[in-house]
Amino acid sequence: MTSTPRLGRITVFPVKSLPGSSRETVRLVDGGALEHDREFAVVDADGEYVNGKRTDAVHGLDAAFDPAADELRFRVRESVPSTGALDPGDAGRFALPDERAAAEAWLGEFFGFPVELRRDRAGGHPDTTDYATGPSVVSAATLRTVASWFDGLDADGVRRRLRANLEVENVPAFWEDRLVGSAGRVVPFEVGGVELEGVRPCPRCVVPSRDPETGERYERFRETFVERREATFPEWATTDRFDHMYSLMVHTAAPAAAVGADLAVGDPVTVGEERPERPVE
């Protein structure tokens, strides 16, 4: 066993708010996003995202994307009934772009209202609206520690609730807080020689409080999380960039030089000294 921090897992989420899949390697695309991460998004007639903040129904839908075939696949889970006309076990597969309208009709039947399937091959549909559109980062030890706060949860369950892109091994719990600099500054770090920048902590929403498979809510999840987060907050970290303690994971950015580079499971991870933020282009 080595004590060198390494990239232990890569997860991309092809359809925003729907399940992700593991990758051994992944490329950084325009804006610093991971290739195929949040490439698709489902929106309603007003252009608003259909996500877990809005409806529990997203927990009832499996999704997968085959880049080679340019094909999206969906399946209604047995655990959560749809809000529309589809039944558990119903599935659809759609070749793009020709069958995009059919995919939208299928998804509309599932959710119970008309939807549009949007696609952005470059930067995807990130959760942030500024330049911090790089992959989100957490440590494996953080997932294990957070799981210990809740009866019945394990690290994999917490992983699926938090939905981070990059998971770093051989580091202590809350290591990712080292990537949060002081106001107006970022913390550069390298993954296999590819430089990224830690920008700020990620405030959480209602989604982590729900079972990702069933949508069932965990009672007092936020209250327990905040109590334990405050009790275990690293002495070396600063609270200046945290609006509240219901925050976990770090948003990152990627300099232009990183676009087109590949990240791979097993890559060593090193952290540099904080520096001023880059001007927004």
Side-chain angles (χ1 to χ4, degrees), residues 7-271:
L7 183 57
R9 181 185 290 264
I10 301 169
T11 306
V12 298
F13 302 87
V15 183
K16 188 178 179 71
S17 300
L18 296 183
S21 58
S22 296
R23 297 283 191 272
E24 289 298 309
T25 62
V26 69
R27 180 157 296 174
L28 290 163
V29 296
D30 290 347
L34 301 185
E35 187 174 30
H36 306 309
D37 188 53
R38 278 85 171 183
E39 182 170 329
F40 300 91
V42 181
V43 301
D44 65 12
D46 296 321
E48 298 294 326
Y49 288 130
V50 178
N51 56 28
K53 299 175 186 178
R54 173 175 174 180
T55 173
D56 291 1
V58 296
H59 299 290
L61 194 58
D62 278 323
F65 175 57
D66 181 349
D70 203 18
E71 182 180 81
L72 274 172
R73 303 168 188 169
F74 300 101
R75 183 179 182 278
V76 181
R77 288 175 170 166
E78 304 289 340
S79 56
V80 182
S82 80
T83 55
L86 299 184
D87 296 318
D90 284 350
R93 52 194 304 166
F94 307 96
L96 302 174
D98 294 345
E99 297 180 336
R100 173 178 167 180
E104 292 173 336
W106 192 95
L107 290 166
E109 285 192 63
F110 172 78
F111 286 109
F113 52 83
V115 300
E116 176 187 348
L117 182 65
R118 291 185 179 176
R119 185 176 197 178
D120 187 330
R121 294 175 183 267
H125 299 83
D127 293 331
T128 58
T129 56
D130 60 8
Y131 81 103
T133 55
S136 53
V137 180
V138 75
S139 80
T142 296
L143 301 181
R144 293 191 295 269
T145 297
V146 172
S148 73
W149 298 346
F150 300 95
D151 293 336
L153 292 191
D154 58 16
D156 186 60
V158 173
R159 174 182 295 116
R160 288 182 288 116
R161 288 169 184 255
L162 296 183
R163 301 170 61 83
N165 292 127
L166 305 181
E167 191 175 315
V168 180
E169 295 180 338
N170 299 332
V171 293
F174 312 115
W175 168 91
E176 64 277 1
D177 290 340
R178 296 182 183 277
L179 305 181
V180 178
S182 51
R185 301 175 73 83
V186 297
V187 178
F189 66 104
E190 291 189 357
V191 180
V194 179
E195 185 176 84
L196 299 171
E197 298 170 338
V199 179
R200 61 173 174 273
C202 175
R204 309 309 309 199
C205 63
V206 68
V207 172
S209 68
R210 300 191 194 129
D211 186 310
E213 301 292 334
T214 67
E216 182 179 358
R217 298 170 188 269
Y218 197 111
E219 293 297 325
R220 289 187 49 80
F221 184 90
R222 177 176 179 137
E223 292 83 353
T224 299
F225 186 102
V226 170
E227 290 171 3
R228 298 302 300 148
R229 185 75 160 117
E230 290 176 342
T232 58
F233 195 78
E235 294 181 357
W236 43 261
T238 175
T239 61
D240 295 349
R241 300 294 299 279
F242 289 77
D243 293 335
H244 49 73
M245 284 292 102
Y246 190 48
S247 300
L248 196 74
M249 201 167 71
V250 173
H251 287 305
T252 74
V259 174
D262 292 334
L263 308 180
V265 171
D267 280 346
V269 178
T270 57
V271 180

